[in-house]
Amino acid sequence: MEDTIPTAVPRPSPGGQQPTIAFFWIQIILASIFTLLNLWSNATRPTIQIDFSRTTGIVSTVLAGGAGERAGLKAGDRILSVAGYPVSPGFLPLYSVSAGDRVAIEFERDGVRRTTTIIPVTNEALRRSGLKLGGVRALSAINSYLSIPLHIWMLFLGIALLVMRPNDRDARLSALTLAAWAAGAFLYNASGMGALFAQLPRPLVAVMFVLDAYFIALFFAACLHFAIVFATERSGGVRPIWQIVPYVVALPMFIEALAHGFHRFSGAITPYPFPPAYDFTGPLILIAALIILAARFRKTSDANSRRRLQVIFLSLMPGTIAFAISVAVDQLALGNLASQIAHLVNTIATIVGALLYAYAVVRHRIFNISVLVRRSIQYALARGTLFVLMSLPIIGLALFLYAHRQDSLAALLTGRPAVYILLIVPLFAVIRYRRSLLESLDRRFFREQYDARQLMLHVVSMVRDGSDMLALTRAALGEIHRALHPKHISLWHLDPTGEALQRGFVRGDRAPAHTPALARAGALPTLLANSDEPLDVFNRHTRALLERLPLSEREWLRETDANLIVPLLIDERLAGLMVLGERMSEEPYGREDRELLRLLAAQLALTLDYSRLKQSPSLVWAPPSQTQSMHFSEALHLCPACGRCYAPGEQTCEVDHVQLVLEAGVPRTIEEKYAVTRLLGRGGMGTVYLANQKRLNRPVAIKVLLSHLVGSTSMRTRFEREARIVARLRHPAIVTIHDFGVLPSGHAYLVMEYLDGQTLRKTISTGAQSVANVLDIIRPVSEAIDAAHRAGVVHRDLKPENIMIVREHDGISFGPRVLDFGLAKMSGPAADDDATLVQSGQSIGIVGTLMYMAPEVLNGQAADSRSDQYSLALITYELLAGAHPLGGATDLASVVKGHTETPMLSIRERVDSVPQSMDAAIDRALSKNASARFESVADFAAALV
């Protein structure tokens, strides 16, 4: 199987992103430390359990039984000083005090000055007493308790985003925003913090004040930055100057917090006389972020980007409004009750908003917000209610047994049979019918999804049982349109030449009127041929790869308005496509939708192949007009059971006694030199036969180009290139090609040495191989590839399927052979010959098999000897482990990410018996950075030993 990735502007290698990711992780770690400091301060900060005005000093309330009451204070007293500091607006007398210390208080009662000593308690003690008292005190305690899970929640979401999407700009910025929110500790305004800092080195305290100011301002700056750049990938991004503006706007808050901090650092108790930038600039920045999101929402035409912007807007709006209200309530001094209510609403809005915020960042394709909310609430309530009703018999039985726990077992079993009938019969009924009840619920609240599944399964069964391609296509597209409600759906099939895909049937009022054909040999079709999984055009990782497609193919995606592309594969060969637009509901296609479409595509592909074999007039590819016709009497007849080949006069197989079938386009004797005797196998490009070379009386293998590729100049060129490339290579581990030609029917063919053995894929399928066996295989293969590199040939398609383990002439020993140089690239002097085999104005392209493709090739760079080394290292790994290092990943996005971003598990972590030197060699050869690999394949092979 081949995959073509176009040459494009190379994106930065994953290695180049590591410093950026490390920078964000450092900030997350620092934010985690400050969050823990926040939580510690929340629980241990000292309080004297009285409320008094910082302006007049008048005591409004004294907590019953609290520290203030024990010190003799009463409501109406006027506090004059605390710990020797006179009362003034904004002063923080307990900044350098710990819970349990003795604090002197001077107060005035009935015009008489008095002094007392008070012992502060911890905030935790205040919360507990507040819960017991109820009212405003309880509300205050609840708010204080909620701040603990809220800080942990925000930090957790930030860390989760950075772990899940480390290479995504939006996710990194979001992680920083959430972590900065959790880390803003306001150290200068926390009671007891001075007592803690007194035990730390002063330089460390100064650094902590700087970082605290940084996190306070960073939250607002990052929020505004995020609003400017979120979901701008498709529009080409944002100019750097606009990404600096948020941090300039937030600078006054940083300066204010830093000034307050160093004012406290100098030992002052009263606040620094600085304009309150935080209380005014903070809400204004958040409001500006909402305005920017709303403006971008109105200008954005992409439906999914609009949904994501809408979710982000809705996640920030409640928190912004609640934050502004809480600041206003505090500034206007509307009382403790109003302040506590405002803070409670702000906390709840922040928790919910942060969840929606993270959801919109992580999920690239999201549901319409109204659908998401409505379905979630309906389904949760309905399913929850159903489960409660189903549990009632069990709950009733448990309560009955508990109420009669003193009775004997005999009394319980015989005394009240009616109770058991009333409880156990419903219990058995629930167990018996629970599945149908839950299914009824699904049909009630997810009628569209349920109907879609039934309709799709009906289509699959209909296609499986039929063979009329024209009728089936119309019916299938109609049923899919009814089931999934796409804006349009179309079926694409190969044109008569077999070189391009063109649109056939189409359904949907919103289908594009005119769509260009798609070249079958292009990058997109070859990527689709790699897997039968439907390709989500808007998937985060897939889109990054699709952006590197040739301009013509990117235009094709735009003009077809493709949202989901389902490949129709026949023997790992792309025979057609289903192209679906966005759903009418603007919801993404779910996992079950894609799986059913994949199953349907497989059935349609089989029907397509069957229809082609029947030579349906609408689906037959005519051979080129230049080719000569071959007389029926010369055609090869084949046994479909054993593959034996017979002359035209034979009717049945002499061994299996089954009717022979005509092998169209292939003669029994090729150019009077090769007598075809048996079918060896069929692949995506050609059919391989065993033949006897008459003059030398030796077996040879003949690969004949498939009939529908006869008219493809590129495929013919590939055949000829393979013959010429291998002809210049001389090595025992490289398959020998004897001849090349074109049959009268127009089929190109290659004659090569006959290899008696099995592919390396079959060897791997038997399980992990021993180190010695792996070295016996890889050593000669490495020598062969190194010889090719020295001859100026890069294979570009090394994989287990292209390496055979053949039985040697003694019939006992086995050796490997490297096959299929059809995708090879020549360099140096050989490149001149190679250029003559490429049509004018066309490029052979950067090709290979996706599962074995080097990261630099996926990044749009040309393949070289180090790319072959990477593929060979993957094969070595697979031999030792019995499985590919990327595991079971088959979808395009996961495979590309595994090659270019995600570190691969070392071989020793999977097979501990592998020597350390071999592990190090494989790890180096699998480096994401090509320059970090070995100088040559020979060096890699030497390092393995």
Side-chain angles (χ1 to χ4, degrees):
M1 192 64 233
E2 65 182 84
D3 297 286
T4 305
I5 307 295
T7 303
V9 179
R11 68 177 181 180
S13 65
Q17 296 181 0
Q18 296 308 316
T20 303
I21 298 172
F23 171 71
F24 278 89
W25 271 117
I26 290 172
Q27 295 184 90
I28 293 292
I29 292 171
L30 292 174
S32 302
I33 295 172
F34 272 75
T35 302
L36 293 175
L37 187 63
N38 247 328
L39 299 179
W40 175 86
S41 173
N42 183 283
T44 62
R45 68 183 59 170
T47 175
I48 55 178
Q49 296 180 301
I50 63 173
D51 294 323
F52 65 96
S53 169
R54 297 302 195 269
T55 303
T56 64
I58 302 298
V59 177
S60 56
T61 57
V62 178
L63 187 66
E69 187 180 74
R70 290 195 296 271
L73 295 173
K74 298 180 180 178
D77 293 345
R78 187 163 72 91
I79 304 296
L80 303 176
S81 67
V82 180
Y85 298 102
V87 172
S88 61
F91 90 127
L92 192 65
L94 300 183
Y95 182 74
S96 299
V97 175
S98 299
D101 293 349
R102 301 179 69 85
V103 179
I105 291 184
E106 184 180 8
F107 66 98
E108 184 181 89
R109 181 184 296 167
D110 299 329
V112 179
R113 284 176 173 263
R114 306 183 183 191
T115 58
T116 186
T117 299
I118 193 170
I119 301 177
V121 298
T122 63
N123 193 40
E124 175 62 23
L126 177 64
R127 285 193 294 236
R128 291 177 181 174
S129 57
L131 290 174
K132 294 178 181 178
L133 291 172
V136 178
R137 293 287 182 182
L139 189 58
S140 176
I142 291 172
N143 273 328
S144 183
Y145 273 124
L146 281 177
S147 68
I148 299 173
L150 178 57
H151 278 79
I152 295 174
W153 174 245
M154 299 292 274
L155 180 64
F156 166 77
L157 286 178
I159 294 174
L161 282 173
L162 196 56
V163 169
M164 296 172 66
R165 299 280 187 268
N167 297 305
D168 182 77
R169 178 203 62 194
D170 292 344
R172 290 198 301 266
L173 193 56
S174 303
L176 196 58
T177 303
L178 295 166
W181 189 100
F186 294 89
L187 300 178
Y188 60 85
N189 202 36
S191 297
M193 198 58 69
L196 171 65
F197 286 163
Q199 306 173 38
L200 301 176
R202 287 181 66 79
L204 177 59
V205 175
V207 170
M208 292 184 71
F209 276 124
V210 172
L211 288 174
D212 185 44
Y214 168 74
F215 283 123
I216 290 171
L218 178 64
F219 166 71
F220 296 96
C223 274
L224 187 57
H225 186 185
F226 180 82
I228 292 173
V229 303
F230 178 66
T232 57
E233 303 95 333
R234 301 193 72 191
S235 58
V238 178
R239 294 175 61 185
I241 186 63
W242 291 110
Q243 301 188 48
I244 299 174
V245 169
Y247 301 92
V248 175
V249 173
L251 190 60
M253 286 192 290
F254 172 75
I255 297 173
E256 178 196 45
L258 194 62
H260 279 300
F262 279 97
H263 190 59
R264 289 274 191 256
F265 186 72
S266 66
I269 294 300
T270 55
Y272 188 80
F274 204 83
Y278 176 84
D279 290 340
F280 294 100
T281 308
L284 288 177
I285 288 178
L286 293 180
I287 292 171
L290 287 175
I291 293 173
I292 291 172
L293 287 170
R296 289 188 51 220
F297 175 80
R298 291 177 61 86
K299 293 181 180 180
T300 302
S301 58
D302 179 66
N304 189 60
S305 296
R306 288 174 61 86
R307 288 196 298 271
R308 296 180 76 203
L309 287 167
Q310 185 184 49
V311 172
I312 289 293
F313 181 87
L314 293 176
S315 70
L316 292 179
M317 183 178 67
T320 300
I321 295 175
F323 172 65
I325 291 174
S326 65
V327 169
V329 169
D330 290 341
Q331 291 294 322
L332 296 174
L334 298 179
N336 194 22
L337 177 60
S339 177
Q340 295 302 329
I341 292 175
H343 282 285
L344 180 61
V345 172
N346 186 24
T347 298
I348 296 172
T350 303
I351 291 175
V352 176
L355 180 61
L356 287 173
Y357 181 80
Y359 169 75
V361 173
V362 172
R363 290 294 304 274
H364 181 67
R365 295 287 293 170
I366 63 175
F367 288 91
N368 182 294
I369 188 64
S370 61
V371 174
L372 178 68
V373 173
R374 183 179 73 251
R375 295 288 175 81
S376 298
I377 293 176
Q378 286 181 336
Y379 192 64
L381 290 177
R383 199 172 181 90
T385 303
L386 180 59
F387 273 116
V388 169
L389 292 174
M390 291 168 61
S391 303
L392 285 179
I394 301 175
I395 296 171
L397 182 61
L399 291 174
F400 170 75
L401 294 175
Y402 179 79
H404 297 84
R405 61 187 181 280
Q406 304 297 336
D407 295 350
S408 65
L409 181 61
L412 283 174
L413 294 176
T414 60
R416 299 172 178 82
V419 173
Y420 290 105
I421 293 173
L422 292 175
L423 293 176
I424 294 178
V425 170
L427 178 60
F428 276 109
V430 164
I431 295 173
R432 171 66 178 82
Y433 297 106
R434 70 186 187 282
R435 288 185 180 274
S436 58
L437 287 171
L438 291 174
E439 188 173 301
S440 299
L441 183 70
D442 288 344
R443 288 199 300 269
R444 169 63 181 86
F445 288 99
F446 289 92
R447 165 64 64 180
E448 181 180 334
Q449 286 83 347
Y450 181 83
D451 289 346
R453 182 174 184 273
Q454 299 305 311
L455 285 169
M456 292 291 286
L457 290 175
H458 168 65
V459 173
V460 171
S461 62
M462 177 182 66
V463 173
R464 183 186 294 121
D465 297 334
S467 60
D468 185 347
M469 190 61 195
L470 300 178
L472 284 174
T473 301
R474 292 191 182 96
L477 294 190
E479 292 294 322
I480 294 172
H481 193 263
R482 285 180 54 205
L484 300 181
H485 304 289
K487 294 179 180 178
H488 58 84
I489 179 173
S490 57
L491 184 72
W492 294 64
H493 58 81
L494 290 171
D495 64 8
T497 67
E499 293 188 349
L501 290 155
Q502 60 186 16
R503 191 173 74 174
F505 299 104
V506 61
R507 289 294 301 269
D509 298 334
R510 303 191 187 183
H514 302 288
T515 53
L518 178 66
R520 182 182 178 276
L524 180 59
T526 49
L527 283 176
L528 290 166
N530 182 72
S531 170
D532 62 352
E533 290 292 327
L535 177 68
D536 186 349
V537 175
F538 294 95
N539 177 277
R540 186 184 305 273
H541 299 295
T542 302
R543 188 175 60 181
L545 184 63
L546 296 182
E547 286 172 354
R548 297 196 296 275
L549 291 174
L551 178 61
S552 60
E553 295 188 354
R554 296 200 302 270
E555 285 295 318
W556 182 87
L557 288 172
R558 185 185 62 81
E559 292 180 24
T560 57
D561 190 28
N563 190 283
L564 192 72
I565 304 176
V566 188
L568 276 63
L569 300 181
I570 302 172
D571 294 332
E572 299 182 347
R573 188 167 34 84
L574 189 66
L577 302 172
M578 271 195 296
V579 176
L580 287 81
E582 189 175 40
R583 300 179 73 167
M584 299 292 288
S585 63
E586 297 186 348
E587 299 173 28
Y589 293 96
R591 181 179 301 175
E592 187 176 67
D593 298 333
R594 294 195 297 271
E595 177 60 25
L596 288 170
L597 285 168
R598 186 190 66 81
L599 182 60
L600 174 60
Q603 297 298 328
L604 279 174
L606 290 174
T607 306
L608 179 69
D609 198 32
Y610 178 65
S611 179
R612 183 183 300 112
L613 290 175
K614 291 177 63 177
Q615 297 185 343
S616 172
S618 63
L619 297 168
V620 166
W621 288 278
S625 57
Q626 304 95 308
T627 60
Q628 306 172 18
S629 61
M630 183 175 61
H631 196 273
F632 179 79
S633 62
E634 302 173 359
L636 179 71
H637 284 67
L638 179 73
C639 173
C642 66
R644 284 180 173 82
C645 299
Y646 293 89
E650 302 293 334
Q651 300 295 324
T652 60
C653 176
E654 60 185 6
V655 177
D656 299 290
H657 305 292
V658 297
Q659 186 73 28
L660 300 178
V661 296
L662 176 67
E663 195 77 346
V666 181
R668 166 69 167 168
T669 303
I670 297 177
E671 295 186 353
E672 300 300 327
K673 295 187 292 184
Y674 309 103
V676 181
T677 59
R678 183 158 55 91
L679 173 70
L680 294 177
R682 301 186 191 274
M685 262 193 64
T687 303
V688 182
Y689 303 93
L690 175 63
N692 182 59
Q693 189 174 6
K694 291 184 176 181
R695 289 187 179 181
L696 299 178
N697 192 26
R698 66 176 177 182
V700 292
I702 299 181
K703 181 161 67 172
V704 180
L705 189 67
L706 289 177
S707 60
H708 73 277
L709 300 176
V710 168
S712 172
T713 305
S714 63
M715 291 298 103
R716 293 272 296 273
T717 300
R718 172 177 166 177
F719 254 51
E720 187 174 352
R721 290 182 69 253
E722 181 175 5
R724 296 196 181 189
I725 287 174
V726 178
R728 74 172 60 246
L729 299 178
R730 292 290 184 270
H731 194 277
I734 296 178
V735 64
T736 302
I737 291 186
H738 304 305
D739 198 359
F740 166 80
V742 179
L743 297 173
S745 59
H747 296 71
Y749 69 90
L750 285 174
V751 181
M752 65 190 83
E753 65 172 312
Y754 170 64
L755 303 176
D756 180 15
Q758 63 185 28
T759 67
L760 200 57
R761 171 63 63 207
K762 190 169 183 179
T763 302
I764 292 172
S765 68
T766 63
Q769 305 295 306
S770 67
V771 171
N773 193 26
V774 171
L775 289 175
D776 287 341
I777 295 172
I778 296 300
R779 188 183 294 111
V781 170
S782 300
E783 293 172 357
I785 297 303
D786 187 63
H789 291 168
R790 285 186 277 106
V793 176
V794 180
H795 191 286
R796 298 200 296 181
D797 197 21
L798 283 175
K799 56 184 176 181
E801 289 79 1
N802 284 341
I803 299 174
M804 279 199 71
I805 306 300
V806 301
R807 189 184 301 274
E808 300 292 2
H809 298 298
D810 57 13
I812 300 175
S813 59
F814 292 82
R817 294 286 195 284
V818 181
L819 315 176
D820 201 347
F821 280 78
L823 298 181
K825 179 186 75 170
M826 297 183 186
S827 60
D832 296 335
D833 294 339
D834 192 37
T836 63
L837 298 175
V838 182
Q839 291 182 352
S840 177
Q842 293 183 348
S843 170
I844 295 173
I846 300 175
V847 293
T849 296
L850 194 62
M851 291 297 287
Y852 298 89
M853 197 174 289
E856 64 271 16
V857 178
L858 288 168
N859 283 326
Q861 301 173 23
D864 57 18
S865 61
R866 295 169 301 180
S867 306
D868 278 352
Q869 183 186 144
Y870 180 88
S871 303
L872 190 59
L874 285 173
I875 296 170
T876 308
Y877 188 115
E878 198 168 359
L879 279 166
L880 290 165
H884 196 283
L886 296 184
T890 56
D891 62 286
L892 180 64
S894 299
V895 173
V896 171
K897 185 178 180 182
H899 282 306
T900 60
E901 299 177 12
T902 308
M904 293 184 183
L905 195 68
S906 71
I907 186 63
R908 276 180 63 85
E909 292 183 67
R910 300 186 67 165
V911 185
D912 55 12
S913 61
V914 173
Q916 183 66 45
S917 59
M918 182 175 281
D919 175 68
I922 294 173
D923 186 62
R924 180 176 172 183
L926 289 178
S927 172
K928 310 287 186 192
N929 186 356
S931 61
R933 299 177 200 142
F934 293 97
E935 288 296 321
S936 67
V937 169
D939 291 343
F940 166 60
L944 286 176
V945 180

